[in-house]
Amino acid sequence: MTTSSPLLSARGVRVSFPGRHGAPAARAVDGVDLDIRSGEIVALVGESGCGKTTLARALLGLVEPAAGRVAFDGRPLEYSGRALKAYRRRAQLVLQDPSGSLNPRHTVYDAVAEGLRIHGYGGDERAAVAGALSRAGLRPPERFFLRYPHELSGGQRQRVVIAGALVLEPELLVADEPVASLDASVRGEILALLLRLRTELGLAALVVTHDLGLAWNIADRVAVMYLGRIVETGAVEQVLTAPRHPYTRALLSVLPEAPGEPVILTGEPPDPARVPSGCRFHARCPVLAGGEADRAGVAGACRGRDPGILDGSGTAQVACHWAHAGTV
């Protein structure tokens, strides 16, 4: 992993959605700093509804932030049609469900060639499509040109989606739950493919997932998201073997191989339109509920003082008063 300037950088990104019938706006992304460097794979993990997919869409320019900025290769992202079209050649999205991503009436060739046609590619289209399919592990590529999605396995369909992203030779992939809809036997193959693409092409990737096991197998760095904020980040080995935030600990505790008893969080995540004061996790925090925060002298801070936004630099960081009290 390089220590050069970030390829993609977010600073203070906020995305809100209007409430219904005069209700407060939902703060889906509520202040996020995040860096991704060339050749780096970052896993963005958290429960459903924590804002990770909305953040990914904002990083791709699919949603314009209400505040903050996104920069790519040192330049702030612009939201004009022409600027976004140029950006999409360099940053591509791989969606969770390949069946929903592929038009059932289009052949594999047309599905992969679509991006080339949108961007007015002037080279040899057939060679570009064949090269992308081959890099995605569909060989010989010509054998797949005239097939339709329903004639492929789930893993093959996901490879076609990846080929459609690769055909434009991007520098960054944003993969939203890239193996969630696949059988366990195929998941490892797709993860190995993403790692090989990083090695061979120098691709950076943001992998959005709720699966910490996937993060362990593929990521260089992990960012844990809760209620619109990143609450812990660092090298994947550090965060997943010695987590400091109680939320990260709870997520890890329910993995099949985790030692000890699972930590069951009480209640549902708060409404993003009504984010609690203080630490946004405090209403569900087992450390606060169990009295450990009180013994560390930080219970009042947990309830009343926001631990702040992590700086996104990639160093190990945690947004937790209890962790900073020297207890972990």
Side-chain angles (χ1 to χ4, degrees), residues 14 19 46 55 84 121 147 149 253 277-278 290 315:
R14 299 179 187 272
L55 174 59
L84 285 176
Y121 180 69
R147 292 192 184 183
S253 75
S277 60
T315 57

Side-chain angles (χ1 to χ4, degrees), residues 165-182:
L166 293 177
V167 75
L168 291 169
E169 300 183 349
E171 297 158 66
L172 171 72
L173 290 182
V174 176
D176 190 356
E177 299 282 8
V179 298
S181 64
L182 302 177

